[in-house]
Amino acid sequence: MKVIVCVKQVPDTSEVRVDPETGTLIREGVPSVMNPFDQFALEEGVRLREAAGGEAEVIALSMGPPQARSALMKALALGADRAILLTDKVFAGADTWATSLTLAAAVKAAGKPDLILCGLQAIDGDTAQTGPEIAHRLHLPQVTYAEKIMLDGRTAVITRQTDSGYEVVEVRMPALITCTPPADFVPSTPPYSAITRAKKKPYEEWGVDKINIEADTLGLRGSPTQVKRVFSPPRRDTGVMLEGRSAAVIAGELFQALAKEGIL
Amino acid sequence: MITYEFSEEQEMLRQSVREWAAKNLTPRVQEMEKNKEIPHDLIKSMAKMELLCPTVAPEYGGSGFDAVTAGIVGEELGRADYTASTAVFYLVQASWAYLFDKYGTHECKSKYIPPATKGDAFIGIATTEPGIGSDLANMVTTITPNGNRYIVNGEKNYISGVREVKQYGGGHVTIARQNLQAGTRGMTLFFLPLGLPGIDITEDEEMGREAISTGGFHISNVEIPKENIIGKEEKGFYIVHEGYEFARAIIACVCCGAAMKSLENGISYIKERNAFGRPIGKYEGIQFPLAEHYTKISMLRDLSYKALHMIDLEKEGKASRMEVSKTVAMAKMICATWAMQAIDDVMQWQGAFGYNKECPDQAAYRAVRSFTLAEGSKEIMKTIVARELLGKEFITYR
């Protein structure tokens, strides 16, 4: 079984601050991390490989500047078998349309996977578009918002989040799944032995020549959307906090407050 | 000039330890300080991260870290645990397991090091005695050969980790006089399991780093086997310094981590806190000490890692014992003082909150204060540097 996990390096948004005068994000000095949704997808991929046994393989795939290598090295330390970084000036400035085109081409070039796992979304853009677009470009079925994946032969059984709870769906492989961690997910931190093993695993950097796509359709030139401005929304006042009493009392107070506002 | 550069693996480890600590350690520091204990599940989590006795060979359960890599972990624990309790737990074990691994017998190492790497035992150091700190030549604890065994008598105090050894097992790398006429030339180093009959442990209260214990023990006719001797008999004084130097260099890294974290706390605070219509970070009275402390701690950090790098170079025969001693002493001499000065100003910027028990920086201040003394006082560090500059004929104690 072959699993490709798409991984993005993002600024650690817990460290991003807002310029109080301009309202724009200050990215200077902000450390880069692996997108947390992608880390969950990767750990799911590694878990599925362990369960499958045999010649199963997990490939971590990323697109980004050369510095994105560190996210892939972490993926290797977390258990991926090999890693590919798509890095080329022509990939730069891509929106989700151009990114999914590039990643889909790389998936084809890396060989037919049984599963493609993506994080639900990246914490810098929050679009949640790239995964589904890759599935569309590869003509694969997709399941989004997956919290748990089990394999039953060539079928993946997926527990996915919905607005009202969970639903369990089945999909025939090959398929693409976007993943979101359950509340109790604790991301792994690799120890030194895993880090030193990661350095010995295959790691490749691919340019545009490897994926056989016209350069004009990639990167900024291939992107129909562009970011005009990034800013922080105006701060809202803190809401009313109901606390310090029993759940039943708080529920009653909440009901009355909502009724008073005409919401209920 | 000796320079060092962190490898990709070392940078990855730093990031991994930082992430681990942010999730598992920092949120529990207040609880640890209140309960005066490092929870066992946290110690086990450190073991899972391979942070316990990390320089030890894989054969005995370690990860074979070099000294620089061990320093990185020390710096990160200094950042993450503002009471420095876990940093002390880490560095004491790391340093004395390092020495134990290097000079101990296979039988003794096999018995005591693997449980410590798993978080099920503690390895400490016991040299200090009542009235005898740096002046080891006048210690009273003795070790006497008796057939195939040795008899130990005496007393040790201000020893880290006595309660942890009682709870989990393990013991202390201990030094005692064997040839009573030979002064420092007649000392023997050995591993003393504190669970042996004849050992009576007491605990002390300290002003900081409260989650790791400090105490002492009386030793009354305690028998140890020959395999517990570390290095050659009557050569303990010479090899014990290798453990101290390792510990001192890691302490310098811990101080860097604590001071840098405190300065970061301070930077956030002085940008937000307004006085007289503007953020206090706009006043030069705040800016100048900030710039000075940042510069000094950055310099200290470079010196600390240079010291650790020289320990690694010494193993390859590329640095001498004396060069290592001097560089380590330079870093240890200033680390706690400079870190305290930085943290003291961060406390001052925060006004009354800086003196409040809820302020992490006051806990860091109390913790870092211990490092002006622990593993060799800053005054002794100065005598070491001066000895290397002036020559052995100027050694104070001769």
Side-chain angles (χ1 to χ4, degrees):
Chain A
M1 187 178 76
K2 183 187 281 187
V3 181
I4 294 183
V5 185
C6 297
V7 169
K8 186 181 183 186
Q9 189 181 48
V10 293
D12 185 352
T13 49
S14 64
E15 301 274 332
V16 172
R17 287 166 292 115
V18 178
D19 186 316
E21 284 169 19
T22 62
T24 55
L25 300 179
I26 303 167
R27 291 179 185 244
E28 267 178 41
V30 176
S32 295
V33 295
M34 181 191 290
N35 178 36
F37 289 94
D38 300 345
Q39 177 159 348
F40 173 64
L42 182 86
E43 292 195 33
E44 277 294 282
V46 171
R47 187 183 60 76
L48 292 172
R49 180 197 62 196
E50 302 299 320
E55 293 185 5
E57 180 185 36
V58 174
I59 303 170
L61 174 68
S62 186
M63 184 178 97
Q67 304 90 286
R69 170 187 161 92
S70 62
L72 286 176
M73 292 308 295
K74 183 174 179 182
L76 292 171
L78 288 168
D81 299 292
R82 62 190 178 102
I84 300 166
L85 175 63
L86 300 164
T87 187
D88 197 310
K89 280 181 183 167
V90 302
F91 300 150
D95 65 359
T96 62
W97 179 266
T99 300
S100 63
L101 179 67
T102 315
L103 289 171
V107 168
K108 277 188 201 165
K112 281 187 177 174
D114 300 285
L115 273 179
I116 302 168
L117 302 182
C118 300
L120 171 69
Q121 62 197 51
I123 58 170
D124 54 351
D126 281 342
T127 68
Q129 292 169 354
T130 303
E133 286 177 13
I134 295 170
H136 175 76
R137 291 182 184 283
L138 294 172
H139 307 290
L140 290 176
Q142 60 175 289
V143 180
T144 54
Y145 287 84
E147 243 192 50
K148 189 176 169 191
I149 306 166
M150 305 295 285
L151 298 184
D152 181 8
R154 295 293 298 164
T155 301
V157 183
I158 295 146
T159 306
R160 64 184 296 270
Q161 291 177 1
T162 70
D163 287 343
S164 56
Y166 292 96
E167 65 182 10
V168 178
V169 298
E170 291 185 357
V171 63
R172 289 285 292 170
M173 297 193 289
L176 182 143
I177 302 169
T178 74
C179 305
T180 185
D184 61 353
F185 172 66
V186 180
S188 301
T189 44
Y192 193 62
S193 58
I195 289 168
T196 51
R197 276 198 302 276
K199 284 282 284 183
K200 293 174 187 144
K201 293 179 180 178
Y203 168 85
E204 294 174 68
E205 291 190 359
W206 289 5
V208 66
D209 54 314
K210 272 277 196 179
I211 59 169
N212 198 24
I213 298 273
E214 281 295 316
D216 279 354
T217 61
L218 300 171
L220 192 62
R221 281 194 290 178
S223 296
T225 62
Q226 285 174 23
V227 177
K228 192 174 173 187
R229 188 163 75 93
V230 178
F231 63 97
S232 175
R235 188 179 289 185
R236 292 184 188 171
D237 290 339
T238 311
V240 177
M241 297 299 293
L242 301 174
E243 55 191 351
R245 293 173 293 280
S246 72
V249 172
I250 288 173
E253 289 177 6
L254 178 61
F255 182 83
Q256 282 176 5
L258 293 173
K260 192 178 168 189
E261 295 294 327
I263 298 168
L264 292 177
Chain B
M1 194 173 102
I2 292 172
T3 56
Y4 67 90
E5 197 171 288
F6 295 125
S7 67
E8 187 175 31
E9 291 97 319
Q10 287 170 331
E11 294 288 8
M12 286 173 71
L13 180 71
R14 179 186 295 286
Q15 186 62 30
S16 203
V17 174
R18 192 169 290 193
E19 287 174 18
W20 170 84
K23 285 197 297 267
N24 300 284
L25 173 56
T26 306
R28 303 182 71 176
V29 171
Q30 215 168 8
E31 164 207 334
M32 280 164 40
E33 200 187 16
K34 191 176 155 204
N35 297 341
K36 299 184 189 299
E37 186 179 27
I38 303 172
H40 194 219
D41 68 291
L42 182 63
I43 295 170
K44 294 295 279 183
S45 180
M46 290 174 80
K48 200 174 162 200
M49 279 295 288
E50 301 172 8
L51 303 182
L52 302 181
C53 316
T55 65
V56 165
E59 180 189 354
Y60 299 106
S63 293
F65 280 23
D66 60 15
V68 169
T69 310
I72 290 170
V73 176
E75 186 186 356
E76 290 305 317
L77 294 177
R79 279 182 67 88
D81 175 359
Y82 45 80
T83 70
S85 301
T86 43
V88 172
F89 184 92
Y90 162 77
L91 80 90
V92 170
Q93 283 214 108
S95 308
W96 299 100
Y98 163 78
L99 194 81
F100 189 9
D101 184 36
K102 190 169 176 184
Y103 293 106
T105 65
H106 172 69
E107 294 77 9
C108 194
K109 289 192 295 184
S110 307
K111 193 169 173 185
Y112 293 106
I113 294 181
T117 66
K118 295 183 179 77
D120 295 325
F122 182 81
I123 294 173
I125 172 68
T127 55
T128 307
E129 298 184 0
I132 309 292
S134 308
D135 183 13
L136 293 182
N138 286 307
M139 70 169 48
V140 296
T141 302
T142 56
I143 178 165
T144 311
N146 182 15
N148 222 10
R149 300 180 75 79
Y150 293 76
I151 308 295
V152 187
N153 279 290
E155 185 179 1
K156 297 287 176 184
N157 70 346
Y158 300 126
I159 306 301
S160 295
V162 288
R163 187 186 62 238
E164 287 72 9
V165 169
K166 254 201 308 195
Q167 277 178 304
Y168 309 124
H172 284 66
V173 173
T174 305
I175 195 163
R177 296 173 77 178
Q178 183 166 342
N179 181 339
L180 303 184
Q181 277 72 50
T184 54
R185 293 191 173 91
M187 294 181 164
T188 295
L189 200 62
F190 54 96
F191 189 76
L192 183 66
L194 296 195
L196 294 177
I199 294 179
D200 182 22
I201 298 172
T202 53
E203 285 186 45
D204 304 330
E205 290 248 0
E206 294 199 307
M207 70 179 265
R209 53 181 227 191
E210 289 166 291
I212 171 97
S213 68
T214 302
F217 45 88
H218 289 271
I219 314 160
S220 181
N221 289 321
V222 172
E223 263 193 31
I224 59 162
K226 190 175 176 63
E227 68 193 41
N228 282 30
I229 301 296
I230 297 173
K232 288 184 183 164
E233 289 178 43
E234 301 186 18
K235 298 288 179 195
F237 182 77
Y238 303 101
I239 59 174
V240 79
H241 287 289
E242 289 186 50
Y244 272 126
E245 275 150 15
F246 196 94
R248 288 165 186 166
I250 296 184
I251 283 173
C253 292
V254 171
C255 287
C256 289
M260 271 299 180
K261 180 62 185 166
S262 190
L263 286 173
E264 287 168 20
N265 294 344
I267 288 169
S268 299
Y269 185 83
I270 64 178
K271 287 170 114 175
E272 298 284 333
R273 173 74 157 81
N274 285 292
F276 309 107
R278 63 180 69 177
I280 61 172
K282 286 208 172 187
Y283 296 106
E284 287 177 349
I286 304 284
Q287 290 183 355
F288 285 8
L290 168 66
E292 287 162 10
H293 292 313
Y294 183 81
T295 303
K296 285 163 82 173
I297 300 301
S298 299
M299 287 160 59
L300 171 63
R301 190 171 182 266
D302 282 349
L303 184 59
S304 307
Y305 281 109
K306 180 182 174 184
L308 286 161
H309 183 51
M310 288 183 73
I311 292 174
D312 288 329
L313 288 180
E314 189 193 4
K315 282 181 244 163
E316 300 167 22
K318 293 176 183 169
S320 72
R321 188 90 285 282
M322 294 299 118
E323 284 173 311
V324 171
S325 293
K326 183 178 74 177
T327 313
V328 168
M330 286 161 65
K332 176 66 169 54
M333 179 177 88
I334 54 175
C335 67
T337 307
W338 283 11
M340 279 168 61
Q341 288 168 352
I343 297 166
D344 187 38
D345 270 338
V346 173
M347 288 166 63
Q348 191 70 13
W349 299 339
Q350 295 172 87
F353 180 67
Y355 195 65
N356 191 291
K357 269 274 189 179
E358 287 193 10
C359 176
D361 301 296
Q362 58 77 29
Y365 182 88
R366 289 185 284 117
V368 165
R369 179 65 177 80
S370 73
F371 298 130
T372 64
L373 297 160
E375 311 289 37
S377 70
K378 64 182 181 193
E379 291 76 16
I380 288 294
M381 297 305 107
K382 290 175 189 175
T383 67
I384 293 170
V385 176
R387 177 189 74 197
E388 296 312 314
L389 298 175
L390 296 172
K392 283 190 175 173
E393 62 272 33
F394 282 85
I395 289 177
T396 315
Y397 48 84
R398 276 190 195 159

